[in-house]
Structures are given as structure tokens and as C-alpha cells.
Amino acid sequence: MLTPQPRRVLIGIGGGIAAYKVCEVVSTLFKNGVEVRIILTNSAQKFITPLTLATLSRHPAYTDENFWQPIYSRPLHIELGEWAEVFAIAPLTANTLAKLAFGMADNLLTNTVLASTCPVLLAPAMNTDMWEQQVVQRNWQQLATNSRFHTLPTASGLLACDRVGAGRMAEPPEILAYIQSLLHTAGKRDLVGKRVLISAGGTREHFDPVRFIGNPSTGKMGLALAQAALHRGAKVTLVHGPANFDIPLGIEVIAVVSAKEMQEEMLGNLHSADVIIMSAAVADVKPREYAHEKLPKRSLPEALALEAVPDIITELAKRKQPHQTLIGFAAQTGDIVAPALEKLQRKNLDAIVANPVDQPDSGFGSDNNQAVFLDQQGRQVKIPPCSKLQLAHHLFDFVSG
């Protein structure tokens, strides 16, 4: 049996204070078994040393000194360009951005971009006034229309220059997620022009302002689906219940609490969606009565009267158009396939994801998952344990295949 080859990521670091964040990216990639090579510009070395990056990646970090020394069997920029599966540049400075926009190559970093064919992920960082300059935005938009370049928007906040505004580099988890996506898709944007509507997390059905019926869903699977769709070029709307996670820029977010609220938002956004994914763990029942003030402990009922909540995915299935694809989730214990297959047929879904919630490191709250995909054509595809982002990409592969 052949041993899988490690994935290969090349990281270019520009001159900016945000360079320190790249240490977390490099360290996490290495811990996950990814081979990492690093290029630093001369300006980058003012903020972070090659020794630091070499220690984290377990491989020498390259600078322009290496570029101009004939000590390699092949030109270094050619060797690195052919080696990389994904090339991430973070932080991307205004200077390097301008060079890439005009195809200039005057250092190791920019020469390697031209000598490579892999997808390039760009994570800019700069002062707000610099970022908002018309010429900088022109260069940014020019690269954004190039299918080879994948762009992470800047965030707003307190910058190192004490300015509050746009220009903050994307945080390491967002960069890492996009790198993982590109390793899966090789830069494919098969969802460009599509709108994807996703529900995520659990709902809460309150019987007073502080008590509710709920479930352990954290929304991580729905977030992963939203990230995967975004990275593949879709316009994404995420309707989520109470959750504690950061949602990447570029995703339209609608926060809800109850099943009724989620139903209203899902049905209200259905008409514009091409793909609808119900990954939320929606309540089946709710308390029949609601107290507008907190009930004293002594006043709590011995038996809580319940009533059914509307079945959101059934309503979506009734209203969906022929061009739309509706995908459900079935969180199960024990035999996961038979109940999911029954749900697929009974609710007239296009596909369903059966995932076990009684297996280690899978299901609610976990960063990983496993599943069986089923569709109306009789296909069944088993996905072994993997990250939830990988599972999300496998699902989009399945429904587009």
C-alpha cells in the first residue's frame, strides 16, 4: 500500500507587522502533516526572522540572498514554483500587490509567482489610507478577476498604526481554512454565479426568558459548508442559531434563535438560492406555553406541555423549484443509512448526509466528521473521518458529480 504524500504549501511573507500572524499558520500546517516552504522579502525580515520560520517549518526559509546564489541544482524560483500545490502570500503589501498586478518579477517572491501554476491565496494587510487608495483598489480588483488568484478581504479594527478602519489581515484560522480548501479543489471555482443558502447550529425553544429546550449542535458543520461554498466562488447566506464562532467576511449572516425564526428566514431566502443545505439541528418540539418573566423554581411545572414545531425542510421541499438542489442532514446513532434513506424519500430531498453522532471525534461540537451521502439516483458514498471543511467539499463534489 502506498503511503500518501504530504501536501505542499509555499508561503510568501511581505513586510508588515501582520507577519507575526503567519507563525501560527506555519506551525499549524506543520502539525497537520503539511510540508511548508517559506519565502521572505527583504522587508519581511525587518519584522520576522528566517530562523523563526525555519524553526516552525523544520526547513530553511528562503530570502533574496538564496535567490542570487548559484548553489542549487536548478533555479530556486523554478524549483519552488513547481513544488508548490498552494502558494499563500501573507501579509500582501501594497508594493507586492502592484508587482503582481503588472507581472513584475524583481525578487524571489515575485519570480516564484510567475514560475508557478498553482492557485495563489492573497491576504493583504496595510494602513487604512493605503488600502483605500484608488490605485491600490484597482490593483486588487485586477487580481481578483484573475482565476488563479484567490483573495481574502481585509477586516476592520484597530491597526498597528493606531488607526481604526479597514486593512487588518485575515486571522490565521481563516487563512488556514482557505489553504485547506485550495488543497482540496486545486483552485476550482465551480460555484461561481451560484447562491447557496445554509442553515447551521441548534435552535432554542424557550419556555421562559432563561430556560429552553435545545441540543448540543455548535454550528461548526454549517460554518464549514459556508466556507467551502465561499471558497468555490458562491454567494453564501448562512442562517444560524446561537453559536460561538467567527464567520468569515464575504458570508451573509442571519442570526436566529427559535425554529420559527429559522423557518421564516430560510423560506424568505429560498427564492434566490440555487443550493439549499439544511445542516441545522432544528428542534422537533417546543413548550406550549411561554412565560414572559423568569419562572421561580417553585413554579416550574412537573410536566412540560409540548407541541410540534413546523418541519422546515418539508416546507422547503414543497416550495423549491426544479433548478434548485435541496440537501438535508440526518444525525443518527447506530444504523445511520436506513433512517437517512427513509428521510430522503419521505421529504423529497435531492440528497442527504447521514452522519453518526455516537462515534468518537464526530458529530456535535467536533472539528471532524464522517458521513454517508445518499441521493435520489441511488448513489451512496461513504466519507471516512476527516475535517468538517473536507467533508463539506466532498459534499459539493458529490452533488455536482
Side-chain angles (χ1 to χ4, degrees):
M1 182 176 179
L2 295 176
T3 302
Q5 292 298 309
R7 308 310 299 265
R8 305 181 305 278
V9 175
L10 177 61
I11 297 179
I13 303 175
I17 188 62
Y20 80 91
K21 294 183 179 180
V22 184
C23 292
E24 182 180 341
V25 174
V26 174
S27 178
T28 303
L29 287 172
F30 176 81
K31 290 174 183 177
N32 289 333
V34 177
E35 287 190 8
V36 185
R37 302 290 182 266
I38 297 160
I39 298 172
L40 293 96
T41 65
N42 287 334
S43 297
Q45 295 174 69
K46 305 293 184 182
F47 297 92
I48 191 168
T49 68
L51 177 59
T52 299
L53 279 308
T55 302
L56 293 173
S57 66
R58 283 37 167 211
H59 192 278
Y62 298 108
T63 68
D64 281 355
E65 284 190 16
N66 305 117
F67 186 34
W68 303 118
Q69 292 179 4
I71 59 175
Y72 301 96
S73 58
R74 301 177 69 213
L76 181 57
H77 62 297
I78 305 296
E79 192 75 31
L80 289 172
E82 293 179 354
W83 175 87
E85 290 182 88
V86 172
F87 194 168
I89 302 178
L92 173 72
T93 62
N95 186 45
T96 300
L97 170 60
K99 292 177 182 179
L100 296 180
F102 286 92
M104 295 176 62
D106 65 349
N107 59 12
L108 177 58
L109 176 59
T110 51
N111 271 273
T112 306
V113 171
L114 294 187
S116 62
T117 58
C118 64
V120 180
L121 177 63
L122 304 175
M126 62 193 77
N127 164 269
T128 302
D129 290 329
M130 296 174 67
W131 174 244
E132 293 179 349
Q133 288 291 330
Q134 183 177 352
V135 67
V136 172
Q137 287 300 306
R138 180 200 66 193
N139 292 339
W140 180 245
Q141 294 304 321
Q142 181 174 327
L143 290 184
T145 61
N146 185 320
S147 61
R148 192 178 168 216
F149 292 98
H150 299 256
T151 55
L152 278 166
T154 63
S156 294
L158 178 64
L159 307 181
C161 59
D162 291 330
R163 176 72 183 272
V164 177
R168 285 177 61 92
M169 189 176 81
E171 295 301 316
E174 196 170 345
I175 296 172
L176 286 161
Y178 213 134
I179 289 173
Q180 186 178 355
S181 288
L182 292 174
L183 287 171
H184 182 96
T185 65
K188 178 174 60 177
R189 285 190 177 97
D190 55 340
L191 293 179
V192 168
K194 302 290 185 181
R195 291 186 173 271
V196 179
L197 175 63
I198 300 167
S199 71
T203 60
R204 295 178 178 179
E205 309 305 323
H206 283 261
F207 61 87
D208 75 6
V210 299
R211 301 183 181 94
F212 59 86
I213 298 173
N215 59 65
S217 176
T218 60
K220 287 183 178 180
M221 189 67 241
L223 175 63
L225 289 161
Q227 287 177 305
L230 180 70
H231 297 164
R232 295 170 84 128
K235 299 289 186 182
V236 183
T237 299
L238 179 66
V239 180
H240 70 83
N244 183 27
F245 49 61
D246 294 325
I247 298 175
L249 293 172
I251 296 174
E252 180 186 2
V253 180
I254 302 173
V256 299
V257 176
S258 67
K260 180 181 179 182
E261 293 170 347
M262 182 169 284
Q263 180 186 38
E264 291 173 353
E265 295 297 343
M266 292 298 291
L267 292 176
N269 287 276
L270 174 64
H271 68 282
S272 62
D274 298 288
V275 179
I276 306 97
I277 307 177
M278 277 295 300
S279 69
V282 183
D284 297 307
V285 295
K286 67 177 182 179
R288 186 171 296 164
E289 302 292 337
Y290 175 75
H292 291 278
E293 294 184 355
K294 179 185 174 182
L295 294 171
K297 188 174 182 179
R298 63 180 178 275
S299 300
L300 292 176
E302 291 186 5
L304 190 63
L306 302 175
E307 63 183 19
V309 302
D311 190 323
I312 300 175
I313 200 164
T314 296
E315 288 300 312
L316 292 171
K318 289 178 181 177
R319 304 187 190 194
K320 85 176 186 75
Q321 301 299 308
H323 73 279
Q324 295 176 311
T325 299
L326 178 59
I327 304 166
F329 268 68
Q332 301 288 347
T333 59
D335 176 15
I336 65 173
V337 173
L341 188 59
E342 188 274 334
K343 182 177 179 180
L344 171 75
Q345 302 298 338
R346 175 169 49 87
K347 299 196 175 185
N348 194 30
L349 310 180
D350 296 296
I352 196 166
V353 178
N355 67 294
V357 293
D358 57 351
Q359 297 298 313
D361 201 21
S362 295
F364 295 136
S366 173
D367 292 328
N368 299 314
N369 212 345
Q370 54 185 297
V372 177
F373 301 155
L374 306 98
D375 68 8
Q376 291 287 0
Q377 287 69 49
R379 292 188 300 161
Q380 290 190 22
V381 174
K382 184 176 182 179
I383 305 298
C386 60
S387 74
K388 286 185 172 176
L389 184 58
Q390 287 174 309
L391 186 75
H393 280 295
H394 285 305
L395 178 59
F396 286 118
D397 292 341
F398 177 75
V399 297
S400 65

